[in-house]
Amino acid sequence: MSHFLKYIVIWLGSLMKKPLLALRRNSVSATSRVRLNSFYRGCKIGKWCFIGRYGIFNNVHIGNYTCIAPSCQIGGEEHSYWAASTSPQLSDECISGRITYIGHDVWIAANCIIRQGVTIGNGAVVGANSFVNKDIPPYAIVFGSPAKIYKYRFDEDTIKRLNDSHYWDFAPKEAKVILGKIKVQQSEA
């Protein structure tokens, strides 16, 4: 019974945040937990996600079961250093509005910066303090500045079975059953 009450409290808290988040053209699933002391604009946040405090998110589409640690900056305007002025007030060449895609079941550790327009594949892991300026393939582990692939979490066959299962489309109880049937083989580094 206490698990059920905890779920109801979380759901009600998320529901109360929705009007505030909608003011900046955001769409957030009621099952996700997002911190309001972050800035969200033009974001779509999937089901069963967790987003930590002090983040800045501009035009980000986030899949289901994704977790983002505190103090991450994703998307955002890029100033025109090549033009006569870097100010958006004086230059029409600043770049903004590109959508950044974060896949399903992604883990982004604290203090990461991810450029606008980047795609991070399903199941990827981004190490703390990383700067991501290029697309990240599914199930890759990346870190650094700029972020580089360290290794893949699983072998190719396991990655294919995980992607083909679409476990992220199911509620946690059913997703756990699906994942339990997939034999995971770690990638060789």
Side-chain angles (χ1 to χ4, degrees):
M1 183 68 174
S2 65
H3 180 68
F4 178 72
L5 288 175
K6 181 180 175 184
Y7 177 78
I8 295 296
V9 168
I10 290 169
W11 181 78
L12 287 172
S14 295
L15 195 60
M16 290 177 4
K17 293 176 190 174
K18 278 190 158 251
L20 296 172
L21 290 167
L23 291 174
R24 290 200 172 108
R25 301 179 338 269
N26 297 298
S27 170
V28 180
S29 170
T31 59
S32 287
R33 294 181 6 191
V34 298
R35 300 297 186 211
L36 276 182
N37 48 357
S38 289
F39 175 84
Y40 303 93
R41 180 177 59 202
C43 297
K44 292 182 181 179
I45 301 171
K47 298 176 184 174
W48 305 291
C49 293
F50 174 82
I51 300 177
R53 301 173 189 271
Y54 312 119
I56 299 173
F57 304 91
N58 289 288
N59 298 316
V60 183
H61 292 190
I62 301 172
N64 299 334
Y65 292 107
T66 289
C67 296
I68 301 174
S71 302
C72 290
Q73 297 180 34
I74 303 175
E77 185 167 21
E78 296 177 21
H79 295 267
S80 56
Y81 65 86
W82 56 89
S85 174
T86 60
S87 171
Q89 301 296 321
L90 301 175
S91 174
D92 293 332
E93 295 185 46
C94 293
I95 302 168
S96 66
R98 292 181 183 159
I99 296 173
T100 304
Y101 294 95
I102 311 293
H104 302 287
D105 204 3
V106 172
W107 165 239
I108 299 173
N111 302 311
C112 289
I113 298 173
I114 300 172
R115 285 183 66 185
Q116 65 173 308
V118 167
T119 297
I120 297 180
N122 296 333
V125 174
V126 180
N129 300 307
S130 293
F131 171 61
V132 179
N133 62 350
K134 294 181 181 170
D135 292 351
I136 305 299
Y139 295 92
I141 298 173
V142 303
F143 57 85
S145 181
K148 297 195 182 317
I149 297 174
Y150 168 67
K151 70 176 195 171
Y152 288 86
R153 292 176 57 200
F154 309 112
D155 67 1
E156 288 181 34
D157 183 55
T158 302
I159 291 171
K160 181 174 178 4
R161 286 184 284 125
L162 286 165
N163 272 326
D164 290 348
S165 75
H166 289 264
Y167 67 88
W168 50 78
D169 290 333
F170 297 89
K173 189 174 182 178
E174 296 128 81
K176 284 181 184 179
V177 170
I178 293 168
L179 289 172
K181 293 178 182 177
I182 297 174
K183 190 171 187 160
V184 174
Q185 295 293 320
Q186 299 297 317
S187 172
E188 307 260 335

